[in-house]
């Protein structure tokens, strides 16, 4: 059974098909088209952490495709009320797929292990694959192609930057993480990326000023992710020189676009002036969450339609 626990679960050609499906559905929607290609399909959202974008974009996305969704919060008792096997196999009797947002990545892996329904990672501590799909759509729209573009992530080696590093490797983007010592990408994640994509251009540096000089896109995220709240003070100190502000933007090429997965802590990792500037694509990027995930859902649940209707131009 096909899951999307991370982008390691799919090939580059799968990824290109998902992105092409997303773009096709997005341009159709702009013409008022809402093809019911997932009619009567039901998507569950099983979330252990808060969410605006991921939750709403999946719920609206499946609705536009003729399906429906169920939001399942803590009251369903996942991991507390019955065994994981009973919980998951029962859920699989009712729904066509589940999006989960979990504190530990292993919880998502366990959910998928029963093969009761396709499991989509809607963010874990390890990675955020759906965010990366929308990020690439946004970069593609800004430049016409993502290939060869240099994405500089200023901030933490976290779930968002890890997925961005992987998708960059899959699609031929150059990726640099500019971060303080001790906040690099998870080393075993990076090893897996390099093992699978030995040609990948991935760098990590503490020299943020030099890193942004060749950036096509400058991306940032919160310094303290959900679940790390007790480290807030330490992280504020560690990342103090890694704010995306006008001074840093003055070092970057004029064409560089600004990205942020949101939610942002304005005044910490990014200033109002930069996030609200003409160079910023963050609102369009958030909007692309829905388009990207519609592509993913159709690819997962109606591959026949994708094969018959979507042409991947490489
Ligand atoms: N970017 C993102 O995943 O946002 P939410 O936490 O609001 O879903
Ligand atoms: N790195 C952030 C992303 C939120 C969308 C977190 O995990 O909280």
């Amino acid at each position: 059974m096909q899951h999307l626990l991370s982008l390691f679960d799919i090939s580059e050609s799968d990824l290109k098909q998902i992105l092409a499906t997303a773009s096709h559905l997005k341009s159709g929607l702009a013409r008022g088209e809402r093809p019911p290609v997932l009619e009567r399909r039901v998507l569950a959202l099983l979330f252990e952490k808060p969410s605006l974008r991921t939750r709403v974009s999946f719920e609206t996305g499946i609705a536009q495709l003729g399906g429906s969704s169920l939001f399942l919060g803590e009251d369903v008792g996942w991991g507390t009320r019955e065994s994981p096997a009973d919980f998951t196999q029962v859920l699989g009797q009712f729904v066509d797929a589940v999006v989960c947002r979990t504190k530990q990545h292993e919880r998502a892996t366990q959910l998928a292990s029963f093969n009761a329904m396709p499991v989509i990672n809607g963010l874990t501590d390890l990675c955020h694959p759906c965010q990366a799909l929308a990020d690439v759509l946004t970069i593609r729209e800004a430049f016409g192609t993502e290939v060869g573009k240099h994405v500089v992530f200023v901030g933490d080696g976290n779930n968002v930057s890890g997925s961005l590093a992987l998708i960059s490797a899959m699609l031929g983007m150059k990726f640099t993480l500019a971060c303080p010592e001790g906040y690099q990408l998870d080393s075993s994640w990076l090893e897996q990326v390099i093992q699978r994509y030995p040609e990948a251009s991935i760098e990590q540096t503490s020299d943020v000023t030099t890193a942004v000089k060749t950036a096509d896109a400058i991306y940032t995220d919160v310094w303290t992710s959900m679940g790390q709240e007790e480290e807030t003070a330490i992280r504020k100190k560690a990342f103090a020189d890694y704010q995306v502000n006008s001074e840093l933007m003055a070092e970057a090429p004029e064409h560089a676009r600004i990205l942020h997965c949101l939610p942002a802590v304005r005044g910490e990792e990014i200033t109002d002036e930069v996030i609200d500037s003409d160079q910023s694509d963050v609102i369009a990027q958030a909007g692309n969450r829905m388009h990207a995930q519609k592509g993913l859902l159709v690819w997962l649940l109606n591959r026949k339609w994708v094969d018959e209707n979507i042409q991947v131009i490489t």
Side-chain angles (χ1 to χ4, degrees):
M1 182 175 282
Q2 178 73 60
H3 301 288
L4 188 80
L5 292 173
S6 79
L7 293 165
F8 284 119
D9 290 342
I10 59 172
S11 68
E12 298 107 283
S13 69
D14 294 336
L15 174 59
K16 286 177 184 165
Q17 217 179 12
I18 292 166
L19 292 169
T21 308
S23 300
H24 175 94
L25 293 169
K26 181 174 178 177
S27 39
L29 184 65
R31 295 190 297 270
E33 296 166 13
R34 296 178 184 220
V37 294
L38 296 182
E39 199 168 13
R40 296 180 199 279
R41 301 296 188 96
V42 181
L43 181 68
L45 288 100
L46 185 58
F47 279 34
E48 292 184 330
K49 288 178 176 178
S51 170
L52 170 67
R53 280 143 289 269
T54 308
R55 173 181 178 174
V56 179
S57 56
F58 267 113
E59 295 211 38
T60 50
I62 189 133
Q64 289 179 9
L65 295 164
S68 61
S69 57
L70 296 170
F71 184 79
L72 307 176
E74 276 187 10
D75 53 327
V76 292
W78 180 33
T80 55
R81 204 163 159 256
E82 56 195 305
S83 77
D86 289 350
F87 180 93
T88 310
Q89 291 176 114
V90 169
L91 187 60
Q93 301 293 306
F94 303 134
V95 305
D96 294 288
V98 61
V99 182
C100 68
R101 171 167 284 205
T102 62
K103 292 180 183 157
Q104 291 102 21
H105 188 75
E106 294 67 32
R107 297 265 286 156
T109 310
Q110 183 192 54
L111 195 65
S113 68
F114 300 103
N115 283 326
M117 70 230 119
V119 175
I120 300 169
N121 177 347
L123 181 145
T124 66
D125 54 341
L126 182 66
C127 59
H128 196 2
C130 295
Q131 179 67 53
L133 296 176
D135 300 342
V136 169
L137 272 192
T138 312
I139 291 168
R140 199 178 265 191
E141 287 168 0
F143 296 106
T145 178
E146 70 281 5
V147 180
K149 297 299 162 198
H150 185 198
V151 183
V152 178
F153 190 101
V154 179
D156 194 16
N158 64 13
N159 44 8
V160 171
S161 53
S163 293
L164 195 62
L166 172 53
I167 209 164
S168 299
M170 293 174 82
L171 294 172
M173 293 190 286
K174 295 179 202 154
F175 178 85
T176 301
L177 174 66
C179 68
E181 204 53 48
Y183 293 93
Q184 285 92 351
L185 295 170
D186 178 83
S187 55
S188 87
W189 176 269
L190 183 59
E191 243 168 63
Q192 285 178 65
V193 176
I194 291 165
Q195 201 176 5
R196 179 116 159 224
Y197 300 100
E199 308 294 316
S201 166
I202 299 180
E203 282 182 28
Q204 302 195 84
T205 176
S206 56
D207 182 355
V208 61
T209 312
T210 306
V212 300
K213 284 200 190 298
T214 55
D216 296 303
I218 296 175
Y219 196 131
T220 189
D221 181 16
V222 289
W223 293 338
T224 303
S225 286
M226 291 181 276
Q228 298 174 328
E229 290 76 9
E230 75 285 0
E231 296 174 32
T232 304
I234 285 181
R235 285 173 168 269
K236 260 192 198 180
K237 233 188 233 172
F239 285 99
D241 295 333
Y242 292 82
Q243 184 185 63
V244 179
N245 53 31
S246 302
E247 207 184 316
L248 186 68
M249 290 308 294
E251 305 291 334
E254 274 177 25
H255 72 260
R257 308 303 303 170
I258 295 294
L259 300 173
H260 192 308
C261 56
L262 300 178
V265 183
R266 287 166 173 254
E268 283 196 11
E269 75 274 5
I270 194 161
T271 59
D272 286 335
E273 205 178 10
V274 171
I275 199 168
D276 296 329
S277 72
D278 290 345
Q279 280 173 273
S280 172
D281 288 325
V282 299
I283 301 300
Q285 181 187 5
N288 276 334
R289 295 294 306 278
M290 183 184 76
H291 305 295
Q293 289 156 194
K294 283 171 73 178
L296 172 65
L297 288 171
V298 177
W299 183 83
L300 273 175
L301 301 176
N302 193 350
R303 190 73 53 85
K304 187 168 173 284
W305 186 87
V306 172
D307 289 338
E308 288 171 358
N309 291 277
I310 303 299
Q311 215 194 337
V312 179
I313 301 147
T314 44

